[in-house]
Amino acid sequence: MTAKFKANSETSLSPDYCPLELEQEIREFWEKHRTHQRLSQLREKNNLGVLGYVEGPPTLNGIPHVGHSRGRVMKDLRYRWKTMQGYFIPFWAGWDCQGLPVELEVERLLGVKNKRELLERVGEERFIEECKKAIVKYHKEWVEVDKRLGVSIDQEKAYWTYFDDYIEREWQYLKRAWGQGLLEEGHYVVAYCPGCQTSLSSAEVGYADSYREVEDPSLYFKFKVAESQNEYFLIWTTMPFTVATDTMLAVNPEATYAKVKVGGEKWIMVEQRVASVMAELEVSDYEVLETVKGARLEGTKYDYPLKDLVPRLAELEREHPLVHSVICEDFVDVTTATGVVHLSPGNGEEDFFVALKRKVPIFAPFDDEVKFTSEAGAFNGMFARDADEKVVEELRKRGSLVEVKTVRHEYPTCWRSHHKLVWLARKEYFLRTDKLNAKTLEAAEKVTYFYENPKNRFLSFLKEGKPWCISRERVWGTPLPVWKCEKCQAKTIVATKKELLEKAVEKPAGHFELHKPWVDRVTLRCEQCGGVMRRENFVLDTWHNSGASPYARFTDEQYRKYVPVDFLTEAIDQTRGWANSLLLQHVILTGKAESPYRAFLFQGLALDAKGRKMSKSLGNIVESKKLLEKVSADVCRFYFLKKCSPIDAFHFDAQELSRRPYQVLSTLYHLSRFLLQNSEFDKFDPQKHTLEQAEKKRQLKPADRWLLSKLQETIVEYTAKLESCEFNFALGVLEDFVIETLSRLYVPMVRKELWTDDPETLERRLAVYATLYYALKEVTLLFNPVTPFLSEALYQKIFKKLDPAAKDSVNFEEWPKPNAKMRNKTLEEEFATLFKCVSLVYAARQNAKLKRRWPLSRTIVVASENVENALKTAEDVFLEMTNVKNVEYCREVPREVSSEEWVQASEEGTHVFLLAKRDDKLLGEGLMRDVARRVQALRKELGYMPTDVLKAVLVAEAEKQDVELLQPYLKAMEELVRAKEVRVCKSRREAEAEWHEFQIDDKKIYIAIL
RNA sequence: GGGCCGGUAGCUCAGCUUGGCUGGAGCGUUCGGCUGAUAACCGAAAGGUCGAGAGUUCAAAUCUCUCCCGGCCCA
């Protein structure tokens, strides 16, 4: 009887892997020892190099969900990994605090319907206080989840985008833009909700349920070709009021247009739509007189019929030659309506850019409430959409109306009030980033994106190169630091608090901060005319706010050290968001074709299990906090990274967590426990019993060398996959090593050798421990960026326990480096061949219904010399795995195997023959193992620990000949089932015991444990 | 409406760049086996019109075109 495991070896690792408890313990360990702070300090002083980092700040208008958490895990992975490699990274948190999303959240909390009500009922000052309160609330949630997830970002060094010092540094970007003539006032078309009386961001327009089916007029009308008798352009619109701001017509240059004779008139429209439109207008008597390419129509002037009502349009016609003429644009859709589109640059974004491109003046005669101004002549004072009827009437009076009906169609509405939105040009401030396009693109080209798709997506977006409208008519944001003279309209920019207070006409009394309403109260004296200068009443786009972080979150010295930063990762929706604003602002700030980041990984979005976007209305948002209360952070982290490529959409399914990810981590846990239990018993000391020692004492066997070689391969490939951000493949490599190489192959190969306390084989056992210790420790380190809790737990409770000289935390360890001397590809191939032959033996056994636990006497392998050599490298392993006593090799199939006593299996020129016939010895040993197996099952069922030693095992009512077969192997069975005695009884009546019935190949036997 | 991405076993995903044997893995199911580190593991079976159609080719999951469906972004 082996003395091994005599008592339950006291390990601090529970027999089951209970990650939730383990992680809580490790969290407290890190906090108590201030592990992350100490690590950061250490690396700052002593490093291989500095890798800059700036946190992409989450907006504090909600709580984190799995999509956020996945992103944060990728950031943390990179930090932990590069830090282990010896780099210093300023992995400091940051929070996006301002902007519309936060305002809307606070409006909701305050129960306010719109901006006007907000200002009247709540007022700016209190509103700002409420915004700050909301931020603090959500900040707590984020920090809590980071902690639970093991995101080691430094919360104490976080930046907040609303702090005065941050805003002052953000203003430096604008000052630089101002100096380069890139900051301009101009018009921009925005979506406006007449109900809420506020403009909407494009994000709001895009909200899931903002598109609704609505009823609109369907108006066909005609504009007469100038100086023609009876030629007209036929036009369709659902927004008649825009005819009051009509500036141009557009046709598609490639399409064919027809002149259609209807009554005494010729109507011009796209040829392919003639039949359908005529049918719709119920005109049956018509004829296509001639056709002409769209391009030929360019420059045609037309008579705008409402000139008398809107005199300003008549003036514009004289000021610019293109007003009220036809232009060509590819975007004109010739598959709907008439293929002739009327353009109102004051009321449509596309129209607006068409006009801007041709320097056609923007006619936008609307006030803040979207009522026509006096510039609109007869429409003065009328709300835009209410002018629909009047326009129709006036067209009718002038003979320009063809037909008016109603139409139901999908149209964007306000997500809050569901009023139909209108688009109109308003006065805004722009960064003329279109002028920097070449530089921006050059900078972006130099960035590493890891994958082609997101790269192309980003670059093609940048190529659009539109000016950036940075002004917002909101409250909670960085104030635009431009003051304008009431008298002479002169403008000035003030970009620091100090400068502002110095120049102020009157110093502000009491509290002062760089927000509305305090900054608005500061007036300046105009240097040109001495008039009063007031601040332009805008705040900045929140993307400008967060895009300023590389400069604004650091000091000058830090900025020089850390920017451009090494690596960033955010979700793919940041293509147009942060990735873009960072780039544009950096180019403005530096004047160089340089990106503020050297690499950017765009992650796919997180969707629910069915592939739907997570949204409040669907109620399918998985909140990280709730998830992590029930599920291990390590398991989540592993799942986030392993499930799919980081750029793929991530279909989160909680049920998948407990499957493969759990199994892999659990296996690593148990492998480590296995090492600890065994090695502690033999007083293994990693300082003394090293691999070098084992080598010297010639105790390393091919199986060990094979494992060590596979480990080197794993280190190389895993690190390479991390480097290329193929986290899913990286973890595939790691998983394979743990499950296949270690758990399925190596441990079974050495288990028997460890299953003894024979002092003569102690050196061999120590060599196996050294091998396992090294391999498992390296694996634990490789896992650390992914499963930091498990790695730390194993490190503290196994590696540090066995080797007190180990570091204070796994995080202080160095990243494993491959050892080329341990790599042996030939050996790896030989073992691959060996394993293939083993599975051939299994296949042959299965054919002959020979259980694996039944020993057999002979196997003959008919194969090439290579295969023979491969098997001979580790013949003992082959025999052990196949449970065969002897193996022979042949090149040709020997005659003897043709007898029915042999069974076989073949693959790729390798044939394996097994002697199926068994003598009494083999039968007895096989039977013993059959019985032993039942005993083991019973032990487990009755709740015995593996280490418990049984008083006696009783076997009863076996057939007489079986008892005889069994008799010589009872001693061996005692060892196997860990019992002081194994006794065979004739009848159950011989002993007072709880008997359990078992079946062995149709025969009943009874087993009892005492 | 435009751009991009995806559609491969019941589920989750590889394979596609550079066409080539019988299209893979994991999970799940069924049957059998193995097992005291493991919630593991091994073998077999069932399960695929590789979204549809056409083209190129001796040969297409892979290349080209068209269409359908889903997702994201933009309008």
Side-chain angles (χ1 to χ4, degrees):
Chain A
M1 166 67 39
T2 169
K4 240 176 157 181
F5 306 138
K6 217 165 21 185
N8 223 342
S9 21
E10 188 45 51
T11 81
S12 39
L13 286 174
S14 67
D16 291 326
Y17 173 44
C18 305
L20 284 179
E21 293 155 33
L22 203 63
E23 286 166 15
Q24 188 51 38
E25 190 188 327
I26 296 301
R27 234 170 254 129
E28 284 161 16
F29 172 85
W30 284 337
E31 239 166 89
K32 186 176 156 204
H33 297 279
R34 291 183 62 81
T35 304
H36 296 307
Q37 290 85 343
R38 280 171 49 219
L39 175 64
S40 173
Q41 283 160 12
L42 177 81
R43 282 287 181 272
E44 190 162 15
K45 272 187 235 133
N46 186 4
N47 60 59
L48 270 188
V50 172
L51 302 177
Y53 178 80
V54 61
E55 165 72 347
T59 306
L60 294 176
N61 70 327
I63 59 180
H65 62 66
V66 286
H68 299 119
S69 292
R70 181 183 180 227
R72 295 184 89 65
V73 165
M74 288 183 198
K75 293 174 178 177
D76 190 57
L77 166 88
R78 177 93 180 181
Y79 170 73
R80 288 178 186 266
W81 164 48
K82 286 289 168 187
T83 305
M84 285 175 83
Q85 284 188 330
Y87 295 99
F88 171 69
I89 300 179
F91 192 44
W92 306 336
W95 306 107
D96 196 3
C97 307
Q98 303 182 141
L100 192 67
V102 178
E103 289 197 27
L104 293 178
E105 177 63 19
V106 173
E107 281 185 17
R108 195 180 63 80
L109 294 173
L110 292 174
V112 179
K113 278 205 294 289
N114 58 45
K115 188 175 140 199
R116 175 189 272 185
E117 194 189 324
L118 173 80
L119 296 182
E120 283 170 1
R121 249 187 55 198
V122 181
E124 288 183 341
E125 219 161 303
R126 191 183 143 219
F127 181 57
I128 290 214
E129 288 314 309
E130 294 294 334
C131 287
K132 289 180 187 170
K133 271 192 219 159
I135 286 166
V136 168
K137 186 178 101 191
Y138 290 121
H139 174 251
K140 254 177 92 179
E141 299 272 348
W142 278 83
V143 171
E144 179 59 32
V145 168
D146 274 353
K147 198 171 132 189
R148 272 210 86 101
L149 251 191
V151 175
S152 49
I153 197 160
D154 191 331
Q155 304 287 2
E156 289 160 23
K157 290 191 171 141
Y159 70 93
W160 299 70
T161 59
Y162 79 92
F163 282 5
D164 276 3
D165 53 350
Y166 184 97
I167 286 175
E168 275 188 298
R169 290 181 76 86
E170 179 185 359
W171 278 353
Q172 299 313 305
Y173 284 90
L174 292 174
K175 193 175 178 185
R176 204 65 67 92
W178 184 265
Q180 297 171 75
L182 295 171
L183 180 58
E184 280 182 5
E185 183 187 332
H187 280 87
Y188 197 77
V189 175
V190 294
Y192 192 92
C193 172
C196 305
Q197 300 194 320
T198 178
S199 54
L200 274 69
S201 72
S202 56
E204 289 175 287
V205 178
Y207 280 175
D209 65 339
S210 73
Y211 278 73
R212 290 270 167 109
E213 187 166 274
V214 299
E215 200 161 86
D216 265 322
S218 162
L219 172 69
Y220 281 92
F221 61 101
K222 56 194 183 186
F223 283 165
K224 186 158 148 289
V225 175
E227 288 158 24
S228 78
Q229 284 303 306
N230 54 358
E231 282 191 27
Y232 295 85
F233 286 102
L234 184 65
I235 309 146
W236 178 77
T237 182
T238 56
M239 290 184 282
F241 76 91
T242 60
V243 178
T245 53
D246 173 82
T247 310
M248 288 174 285
L249 291 180
V251 295
N252 190 313
E254 298 303 320
T256 306
Y257 284 80
K259 293 188 179 175
V260 188
K261 181 173 177 292
V262 179
E265 297 177 350
K266 285 189 245 173
W267 293 353
I268 303 171
M269 61 178 296
V270 75
E271 186 186 22
Q272 67 194 86
R273 292 283 306 159
V274 171
S276 343
V277 171
M278 289 305 144
E280 202 182 328
L281 296 176
E282 292 169 27
V283 176
S284 51
D285 189 16
Y286 66 92
E287 186 190 344
V288 175
L289 296 175
E290 59 176 306
T291 58
V292 58
K293 199 126 187 248
R296 294 270 309 275
L297 297 168
E298 187 160 20
T300 311
K301 292 241 142 214
Y302 60 90
D303 289 337
Y304 175 68
L306 306 183
K307 264 185 237 175
D308 55 326
L309 299 176
V310 191
R312 177 68 189 137
L313 272 174
E315 280 174 38
L316 287 174
E317 215 175 272
R318 288 190 293 275
E319 285 169 20
H320 197 284
L322 285 182
V323 173
H324 294 142
S325 68
V326 176
I327 56 121
C328 285
E329 279 293 340
D330 293 331
F331 70 75
V332 174
D333 179 13
V334 293
T335 61
T336 58
T338 67
V340 181
V341 182
H342 105 90
L343 300 178
S344 291
N347 292 104
E349 194 175 8
E350 218 158 33
D351 314 31
F352 176 79
F353 281 109
V354 167
L356 206 64
K357 203 160 80 182
R358 293 172 172 78
K359 298 196 165 60
V360 172
I362 311 297
F363 182 52
F366 301 100
D367 66 10
D368 275 357
E369 295 176 4
V370 205
K371 286 181 180 157
F372 283 104
T373 62
S374 57
E375 269 201 320
F379 296 96
N380 186 15
M382 199 176 265
F383 170 64
R385 279 255 52 159
D386 292 343
D388 282 351
E389 263 175 60
K390 184 174 168 70
V391 165
V392 172
E393 256 336 285
E394 297 294 341
L395 289 174
R396 192 194 307 274
K397 275 188 213 162
R398 289 160 174 77
S400 298
L401 182 77
V402 176
E403 187 192 76
V404 63
K405 289 199 281 200
T406 55
V407 63
R408 296 192 66 82
H409 63 153
E410 295 269 304
Y411 189 82
T413 61
C414 171
W415 62 277
R416 277 190 294 207
S417 66
H418 286 291
H419 279 79
K420 284 186 270 186
L421 298 177
V422 292
W423 270 260
L424 67 151
R426 294 175 70 83
K427 192 191 94 172
E428 304 285 355
Y429 273 79
F430 288 87
L431 282 175
R432 290 299 303 276
T433 46
D434 50 322
K435 291 185 181 172
L436 300 173
N437 212 229
K439 267 189 200 171
T440 311
L441 273 169
E442 191 190 329
E445 294 274 5
K446 288 185 273 192
V447 173
T448 303
Y449 300 94
F450 306 98
Y451 294 86
E452 282 300 305
N453 295 338
K455 173 185 179 176
N456 294 339
R457 189 180 163 127
F458 187 44
L459 291 180
S460 67
F461 164 71
L462 288 174
K463 274 181 194 136
E464 287 176 23
K466 285 185 189 168
W468 178 8
C469 175
I470 57 162
S471 51
R472 295 289 182 273
E473 295 167 73
R474 300 293 314 189
V475 179
W476 176 232
T478 299
L480 176 75
V482 172
W483 270 256
K484 190 173 182 178
C485 177
E486 283 181 333
K487 228 162 96 188
C488 75
Q489 311 289 306
K491 286 183 221 161
T492 187
I493 188 164
V494 181
T496 65
K497 196 175 187 175
K498 186 162 165 264
E499 189 189 350
L500 181 63
L501 294 178
E502 278 169 10
K503 287 187 176 168
V505 172
E506 219 175 293
K507 298 266 176 292
H511 175 78
F512 181 78
E513 65 175 77
L514 297 182
H515 280 110
K516 283 166 78 65
W518 298 279
V519 270
D520 291 340
R521 294 179 189 143
V522 175
T523 55
L524 310 178
R525 183 76 57 211
C526 177
E527 287 178 11
Q528 314 283 321
C529 71
V532 179
M533 300 184 98
R534 293 188 191 281
R535 198 183 72 83
E536 289 283 74
N537 192 19
F538 293 106
V539 296
L540 295 177
D541 180 3
T542 187
W543 290 117
H544 189 277
N545 191 215
S546 55
S549 55
Y551 183 75
R553 76 98 59 237
F554 292 126
T555 63
D556 283 346
E557 191 197 343
Q558 288 168 336
Y559 172 79
R560 278 191 296 273
K561 220 154 80 186
Y562 303 140
V563 181
V565 303
D566 176 61
F567 172 86
L568 296 179
T569 178
E570 297 294 334
I572 188 87
D573 54 1
Q574 299 297 333
T575 312
R576 286 164 182 270
W578 198 55
N580 178 44
S581 62
L582 278 180
L583 179 63
L584 294 174
Q585 286 173 248
H586 192 75
V587 171
I588 289 172
L589 188 71
T590 62
K592 291 190 280 190
E594 177 189 270
S595 166
Y597 39 84
R598 291 197 199 93
F600 205 116
L601 173 68
F602 290 104
Q603 311 145 17
L605 256 76
L607 309 173
D608 74 4
K610 292 174 185 158
R612 296 171 307 184
K613 197 176 178 177
M614 291 191 182
S615 74
K616 280 182 185 164
S617 58
L618 275 173
N620 60 351
I621 296 176
V622 182
E623 294 172 8
S624 303
K625 189 175 160 186
K626 283 190 185 155
L627 179 72
L628 291 168
E629 278 166 12
K630 283 178 273 172
V631 184
S632 146
D634 280 335
V635 171
C636 284
R637 291 173 65 117
F638 186 90
Y639 175 66
F640 288 155
L641 297 166
K642 176 68 175 62
K643 160 113 178 169
C644 61
S645 154
I647 63 161
D648 284 342
F650 175 78
H651 296 207
F652 177 85
D653 186 347
Q655 292 189 314
E656 291 173 339
L657 285 164
S658 55
R659 296 187 186 148
R660 195 65 177 171
Y662 180 89
Q663 288 166 9
V664 174
L665 303 193
S666 168
T667 302
L668 176 61
Y669 179 87
H670 286 285
L671 279 167
S672 310
R673 261 191 98 233
F674 176 73
L675 165 68
L676 182 65
Q677 280 190 330
N678 282 281
S679 62
E680 268 192 324
F681 176 83
D682 280 325
K683 306 224 163 23
F684 167 70
D685 175 358
Q687 292 284 344
K688 251 174 31 201
H689 308 121
T690 59
L691 281 174
E692 290 75 19
Q693 279 298 311
E695 183 78 74
K696 255 188 212 158
K697 295 183 176 167
R698 303 180 153 269
Q699 291 294 338
L700 286 183
K701 289 191 176 178
D704 312 319
R705 294 184 203 284
W706 170 77
L707 178 78
L708 294 172
S709 180
K710 293 292 276 186
L711 175 63
Q712 306 316 315
E713 182 192 25
T714 301
I715 294 171
V716 172
E717 285 190 13
Y718 179 64
T719 308
K721 294 295 180 196
L722 287 185
E723 201 69 68
S724 56
C725 287
E726 294 171 284
F727 308 131
N728 51 330
F729 292 140
L731 287 182
V733 171
L734 210 47
E735 172 182 315
D736 194 64
F737 185 76
V738 170
I739 299 292
E740 292 292 316
T741 307
L742 270 171
S743 174
R744 186 167 88 74
L745 296 171
Y746 180 71
V747 168
M749 286 194 273
V750 297
R751 182 185 275 140
K752 259 248 168 94
E753 296 183 281
L754 300 182
W755 195 249
T756 170
D757 59 354
D758 184 352
E760 276 188 27
T761 56
L762 177 64
E763 287 299 338
R764 171 59 192 149
R765 293 201 296 280
L766 291 171
V768 172
Y769 301 147
T771 307
L772 266 178
Y773 180 89
Y774 167 72
L776 280 171
K777 188 176 165 192
E778 296 287 80
V779 167
T780 299
L781 300 186
L782 295 175
F783 262 100
N784 186 43
V786 181
T787 59
F789 296 101
L790 179 57
S791 286
E792 186 73 278
L794 297 178
Y795 191 82
Q796 296 300 331
K797 297 177 182 220
I798 295 178
F799 303 106
K800 197 165 165 66
K801 191 168 183 201
L802 290 171
D803 178 9
K807 305 230 187 321
D808 286 350
S809 159
V810 66
N811 294 293
F812 291 89
E813 281 280 354
E814 264 181 52
W815 189 249
K817 288 196 188 91
N819 182 343
K821 279 186 198 150
M822 289 189 185
R823 190 76 200 269
N824 184 342
K825 285 189 187 175
T826 315
L827 187 65
E828 285 182 32
E829 280 163 24
E830 284 170 345
F831 266 79
T833 304
L834 186 148
F835 296 140
K836 200 168 254 175
C837 291
V838 169
S839 58
L840 280 178
V841 171
Y842 291 161
R845 274 179 176 274
Q846 183 129 3
N847 290 340
K849 294 208 187 308
L850 293 167
K851 294 181 191 175
R852 207 188 298 177
R853 69 168 87 90
W854 292 348
L856 296 174
S857 57
R858 293 174 67 198
T859 180
I860 300 176
V861 176
V862 181
S864 67
E865 198 183 341
N866 279 343
V867 174
E868 177 179 343
N869 289 337
L871 291 187
K872 280 183 172 163
T873 338
E875 206 175 82
D876 52 338
V877 169
F878 179 71
L879 294 175
E880 168 69 27
M881 289 179 92
T882 54
N883 197 13
V884 174
K885 303 289 181 199
N886 191 31
V887 56
E888 296 147 60
Y889 305 94
C890 294
R891 294 285 170 275
E892 304 285 334
V893 178
R895 183 164 293 170
E896 64 171 316
V897 301
S898 57
S899 118
E900 282 185 4
E901 289 174 352
W902 291 82
V903 291
Q904 77 142 66
S906 308
E907 196 186 282
E908 290 169 12
T910 300
H911 311 276
V912 166
F913 296 89
L914 268 182
L915 182 56
K917 205 182 107 188
R918 296 186 291 157
D919 61 15
D920 285 356
K921 274 182 162 180
L922 292 174
L923 286 171
E925 191 181 343
L927 184 61
M928 181 275 279
R929 289 193 57 185
D930 268 337
V931 176
R933 174 69 210 124
R934 268 67 177 182
V935 175
Q936 300 287 44
L938 187 59
R939 281 182 61 123
K940 206 169 189 175
E941 194 190 315
L942 296 179
Y944 288 94
M945 296 302 289
T947 48
D948 293 337
V949 175
L950 307 178
K951 246 201 313 202
V953 170
L954 307 183
V955 181
E957 296 183 22
E959 285 179 12
K960 197 180 162 206
Q961 69 187 85
D962 285 347
V963 174
E964 277 165 19
L965 287 173
L966 212 48
Q967 212 68 47
Y969 294 97
L970 291 181
K971 268 274 164 262
M973 187 162 150
E974 284 171 5
E975 189 86 357
L976 255 183
V977 301
R978 209 172 292 283
K980 285 184 183 156
E981 185 193 5
V982 175
R983 203 163 73 218
V984 179
C985 310
K986 266 199 181 125
S987 153
R988 276 176 282 168
R989 284 190 299 273
E990 279 180 33
E992 186 80 7
E994 199 178 318
W995 291 97
H996 299 263
E997 185 182 307
F998 286 94
Q999 287 249 329
I1000 297 179
D1001 303 319
D1002 308 331
K1003 296 176 195 168
K1004 269 185 200 166
I1005 62 157
Y1006 293 87
I1007 298 173
I1009 287 179
L1010 297 177

